Amino acid sequence: MTVLKRLLYSPAGMVGLILLGLLILAALCAPLLFPGDPLAIAGPPLILPFTDPALPLGTDRLGRNVLAGLFYGARASLAVGLAVAAVSIVAGALIGTIAGFSGGLTDEALMRVVEAFQTVPGFLLALAFVSVSGASLPVVILAIALGAWTGPARLARAEVLSIRERDYVAAARVIGMHPAEIALREVLPNALPPVLALAAVIVGNAVLIESALSFLGLGDPNIVTWGSMIAEGRNVLRSAPFLSIVPGLGLIITVLGIYLLAEGLTDALATRKARP
């Protein structure tokens, strides 16, 4: 039985797959269903949900379409989460491989850098970086990645420390391969699978941190994000609570789907390894 079939038989994995599938579908369909600028005025302000067929989830204080913002917010969350995961895993895996394979002073120096970054909470690090560098989507991605690469680095180093003593690595040294070539071609590919397992956690944390930054007004002002929608709704929380509830539910469903899918994948892979 393949990993995909085992994932589909897992209740957590199946629910996570459905939730993320709907999220991805919403993100891809956003420009088709809502062409134009999602920040543009779509009608009178504060239309209640399900009172206007043209605006199913109503409008915010400025008259912007809440449903369009919800769909475009899914695009922003996915873009940030996946980009942060890619940057963190690539950087962390490379640094961890260099540290574990080199050993000695190089290993000590790189691990002290990792520990220095780990002493600062990821959100505070991102908050400080965005405050200094300015709010834009690339800056937000880089800021979140600054606090997320240490986990992959430590895990990659631990894997490399065991892999570098195996027979095929010794054989590569005997035939005269350059140490960098051995590290990147022989060691890193075998150390990468456990590191990739952290991707779901990184994506989930990145989505939450980006939403928190946007809520504080430190997100990209030129795009719609769920954090900025929640922040907009807090000013009229008593009279129009749906403005914060709708994007908040989107955020909850996204993070829940990511973690359920990760749990299902973990179970599927563990079952595969357990088979004789």
Side-chain angles (χ1 to χ4, degrees), residues 219-237:
D220 192 331
N222 299 315
I223 62 174
V224 179
T225 65
W226 288 337
S228 62
M229 292 177 68
I230 295 172
E232 174 67 21
R234 69 180 172 177
N235 296 314
V236 287
L237 194 58

Side-chain angles (χ1 to χ4, degrees), residues 37 76 113 134 211 217 220 269:
D37 186 0
V113 173
S211 297
D220 192 331
L269 293 172

Side-chain angles (χ1 to χ4, degrees), residues 28-70:
L28 294 176
C29 293
L32 301 176
L33 297 176
F34 307 99
D37 186 0
L39 295 173
I41 304 302
L46 296 179
I47 295 178
L48 295 177
F50 312 117
T51 58
D52 186 341
L55 301 164
L57 293 182
T59 58
D60 63 7
R61 293 192 307 159
L62 300 178
R64 296 174 295 195
N65 190 343
V66 174
L67 184 59
L70 188 67

Side-chain angles (χ1 to χ4, degrees), residues 8-105:
L8 295 177
Y9 280 111
S10 168
M14 188 64 181
V15 172
L17 198 61
I18 292 172
L19 292 178
L20 287 182
L22 293 174
L23 178 69
I24 293 171
L25 183 63
L28 294 176
C29 293
L32 301 176
L33 297 176
F34 307 99
D37 186 0
L39 295 173
I41 304 302
L46 296 179
I47 295 178
L48 295 177
F50 312 117
T51 58
D52 186 341
L55 301 164
L57 293 182
T59 58
D60 63 7
R61 293 192 307 159
L62 300 178
R64 296 174 295 195
N65 190 343
V66 174
L67 184 59
L70 188 67
F71 273 59
Y72 278 91
R75 291 170 63 89
S77 294
L78 282 177
V80 170
L82 295 176
V84 168
V87 172
S88 302
I89 288 176
V90 170
L94 286 175
I95 292 173
T97 299
I98 294 171
F101 192 76
S102 300
L105 291 176

